[in-house]
Amino acid sequence: CHNCLPCYTGYDVMPPDPRGGAIAVRGAKFANENGQLAYHVLVTRERKGGKPFKGVMELAVAGDRGGRNETITLGPVDVNLAGYQHLSGSLPLPAGFTGRQATIRVLDRPGGTLQGMRVINVR
C-alpha cells in the first residue's frame, strides 16, 4: 500500500449504498449520549470533478419518549462533498427522548430534493 486516498479513508472497503443514489451513504454509526444523538456518517459521490456538491444532511430519528413512539427531525448539517466526507458530531435530543433508528437524508438544500438516504439503527 502506498497510502493512497481511497485506502487511507477506508472508502474502498466500505459497503456500497444499496439505494445507489447520486450521493451514497456508505456507512454510519449513531449513539444516544447524555441527551444528544452522536453521529458519524460517511457519504461519497461517484461523479467526481467539477463543482463540489453543497447540500445538507437531515436525520429523521424514530424512538420513544415516556413510553410513546415518536419521530423527530434533527439538522440540517452542512455537506460539502467533492469525493467523500465524514460527517461527525452530535445533535441535541428532546428531553426524555431515546433514539432507536435514524433515517439519513442528504438533500440539495433544506427541504429540497433528496440526493441520497439510508436507514441505520441507533445503539
Side-chain angles (χ1 to χ4, degrees):
C1 180
H2 298 14
N3 294 321
C4 61
L5 186 59
C7 293
Y8 179 72
T9 61
Y11 173 65
D12 62 338
V13 298
M14 294 299 298
D17 183 337
R19 296 184 191 271
I23 304 298
V25 179
R26 300 294 291 263
K29 183 176 174 183
F30 295 96
N32 293 293
E33 294 181 352
N34 301 319
Q36 305 234 347
L37 181 70
Y39 64 88
H40 186 170
V41 178
L42 173 62
V43 291
T44 62
R45 178 178 174 208
E46 295 302 319
R47 195 182 86 214
K48 296 180 181 125
K51 293 180 6 179
F53 168 80
K54 291 186 180 184
V56 295
M57 174 182 72
E58 292 179 351
L59 303 173
V61 183
D64 70 81
R65 180 173 20 183
R68 293 182 13 182
N69 289 329
E70 288 188 29
T71 300
I72 60 169
T73 300
L74 302 176
V77 174
D78 289 335
V79 175
N80 189 357
L81 179 62
Y84 74 96
Q85 184 178 8
H86 289 271
L87 303 165
S88 62
S90 60
L91 295 167
L93 294 169
F97 183 87
T98 301
R100 190 175 53 253
Q101 188 176 68
T103 301
I104 304 156
R105 293 189 286 229
V106 180
L107 309 165
D108 61 351
R109 66 187 181 285
T113 304
L114 184 68
Q115 303 294 308
M117 74 168 288
R118 193 144 183 200
V119 179
I120 304 286
N121 289 330
V122 177
R123 295 181 188 211

